Amino acid sequence: MAHRRITMQDIADACGLSRNTVSKIFNGRGAVPEATQQLVLQKAQELGYYQLPEPVAEAAGPVRNSKNIALLTSRMPADYHFGTFFIPAFAERLSRAGYTLTMYEVPPEDILAERLPAHLPLEQTAGILSIELFDRGYLDMLCTLGLPVILVDAYANAHTTAMRCDLISMENVASTMEVAAHVIAAGAQRLGFVGDMRHCNSFYERWMGFSLALREADIPLERELCILSNDMEPYNDEGWLLEQLHRMPDIPDGFICANDFLALHMMAALKRLGLAIPDDIMVAGFDGMPQSAVVEPSLTTVQIPNADIGRMAADILLERIKNPSRPFSSTYVRTTPVWRNSTMR
């Protein structure tokens, strides 16, 4: 028997909240207490709210399309992953246009073989969204299928490649430059970067922003003060991070981390060394994870408008479906530095 799709109202009922409150959280509109956000997102994950709600009828009556949009990812969203806010906003926009959304987790062996999921009905697919897929060969394969494809982020240095698809991403270079300049203005003379610059295009661009900020401040880029290991290394292991820190000739005055996940683990490792943040060393991240506001000290980060990017990605894909011959586009969405105690001296 087919399972009924989970709706925002189901989540609201399960949490004892109004649908309006749940909608605010998923659509990124309006202030909702942190504890309430955590409750709703956890309940949404438990209930499996990553399928579209029933299409919403509009006054003009949208054209119904029996085909499906396939979302391909290397890992399903969990915790406060970018997709936690992006996917519901993307799905809601598709629903209003009469489309459905199905998610497919692509295992490593299929990525290596450049093979689509076996249960993906290509003939019934109107378009493809790729999120958290950074293998160049696999993404190039998607672009040869003859279907509209939009990538959310891509492989490192993708911005220099003439891809036959649309790309949407958060803006990375300018915000990272601004954060690094802020740390330098606060007194840092030697800075390190944390994260695998080759993991994805966003990480690569954040590395570029870090490097450009040092150049503008006439500060040398010292790779021996950076942790640039492959993303497969255990960056979440404080012991491993301590080993990397012990290998450095000196501890820098500040670390610019490729995302908040890395920054939070780096802060924990630095505390184990007995270093005070920000007095002894400053730390900054990127992504605007909710945890960044509640860690001690609170983490300077860059806020990504996840839900807005979801809606924009849907609009770009829908326009591509209607007009397949229009020029491919790369869209960068403004991000905003958030200054907190981890860089305030």
Side-chain angles (χ1 to χ4, degrees):
M1 183 175 65
H3 293 289
R4 183 178 66 84
R5 289 189 181 125
I6 300 300
T7 67
M8 288 189 189
Q9 187 61 59
D10 294 324
I11 299 169
D13 292 343
C15 296
L17 300 169
S18 70
R19 186 190 183 285
N20 184 50
T21 298
V22 174
S23 177
K24 284 182 180 179
I25 293 170
F26 283 115
N27 293 319
R29 301 190 182 280
V32 178
E34 174 67 24
T36 304
Q37 291 188 41
Q38 293 184 20
L39 171 65
V40 168
L41 294 174
Q42 181 178 349
K43 185 58 65 176
Q45 186 175 342
E46 291 173 1
L47 294 176
Y49 180 73
Y50 289 112
Q51 298 294 319
L52 268 174
E54 292 301 321
V56 178
E58 295 181 333
V63 176
R64 296 300 175 190
N65 191 319
S66 61
K67 290 188 177 180
N68 182 64
I69 302 300
L71 188 158
L72 303 184
T73 182
S74 62
R75 57 171 181 156
M76 291 297 184
D79 299 325
Y80 289 98
H81 177 276
F82 170 82
T84 303
F85 297 98
F86 169 93
I87 293 173
F90 179 83
E92 189 78 21
R93 201 68 137 205
L94 290 182
S95 176
R96 292 181 177 276
Y99 287 78
T100 57
L101 178 69
T102 304
M103 291 180 62
Y104 300 88
E105 186 168 12
V106 186
E109 58 270 21
D110 282 357
I111 294 175
L112 185 63
E114 299 178 11
R115 183 171 56 226
L116 290 170
H119 53 296
L120 193 164
L122 205 57
E123 69 283 357
Q124 299 174 26
T125 302
I128 293 175
L129 166 72
S130 166
I131 180 172
E132 285 291 320
L133 271 173
F134 304 132
D135 183 89
R136 178 167 185 169
Y138 197 86
L139 295 181
D140 286 346
M141 178 274 291
L142 294 180
C143 295
T144 67
L145 297 175
L147 288 173
V149 174
I150 184 166
L151 311 180
V152 179
D153 205 353
Y155 47 83
N157 221 13
H159 64 283
T160 66
T161 306
M163 295 181 293
R164 296 190 59 78
C165 65
D166 295 304
L167 169 71
I168 189 167
S169 176
M170 67 293 297
E171 192 288 316
N172 298 290
V173 177
S175 288
T176 304
M177 289 184 69
E178 189 173 351
V179 169
H182 169 82
V183 173
I184 292 168
Q189 294 297 311
R190 304 177 75 190
L191 287 177
F193 185 87
V194 180
D196 177 8
M197 72 177 85
R198 294 289 173 183
H199 171 59
C200 62
N201 197 51
S202 286
F203 276 27
Y204 184 80
E205 291 178 342
R206 292 167 197 176
W207 164 259
M208 287 175 55
F210 168 79
S211 304
L212 289 169
L214 294 184
R215 185 184 306 172
E216 288 197 357
D218 200 24
I219 293 176
L221 195 165
E222 301 176 78
R223 282 180 174 254
E224 61 271 24
L225 301 183
C226 301
I227 303 177
L228 306 173
S229 302
N230 187 283
D231 192 66
M232 297 302 293
E233 295 292 341
Y235 279 88
N236 61 337
D237 184 333
E238 292 172 22
W240 181 83
L241 286 173
L242 286 171
E243 290 178 12
Q244 313 312 305
L245 291 169
H246 285 308
R247 291 175 184 170
M248 295 180 181
D250 298 291
I251 299 296
D253 301 319
F255 279 118
I256 306 299
C257 301
N259 66 16
D260 290 347
F261 172 85
L262 298 172
L264 294 174
H265 287 290
M266 176 55 71
M267 288 173 67
L270 292 169
K271 289 176 183 177
R272 283 181 58 178
L273 279 181
L275 296 174
I277 305 168
D279 295 336
D280 297 325
I281 183 168
M282 292 178 277
V283 180
F286 203 113
D287 281 352
M289 290 172 58
Q291 295 95 319
S292 66
V294 297
V295 69
E296 179 57 42
S298 56
L299 176 66
T300 287
T301 184
V302 176
Q303 187 67 52
I304 300 173
N306 302 335
D308 288 317
I309 294 176
R311 287 185 281 270
M312 293 173 69
D315 290 342
I316 292 169
L317 184 58
L318 291 170
E319 181 59 32
R320 172 66 56 196
I321 292 170
K322 289 192 296 184
N323 185 7
S325 62
R326 73 183 181 91
F328 295 113
S329 66
S330 294
T331 303
Y332 281 82
V333 182
R334 173 74 180 174
T335 55
T336 307
V338 179
W339 312 116
R340 296 200 180 111
N341 293 335
S342 67
T343 61
M344 298 290 189
R345 286 183 171 172

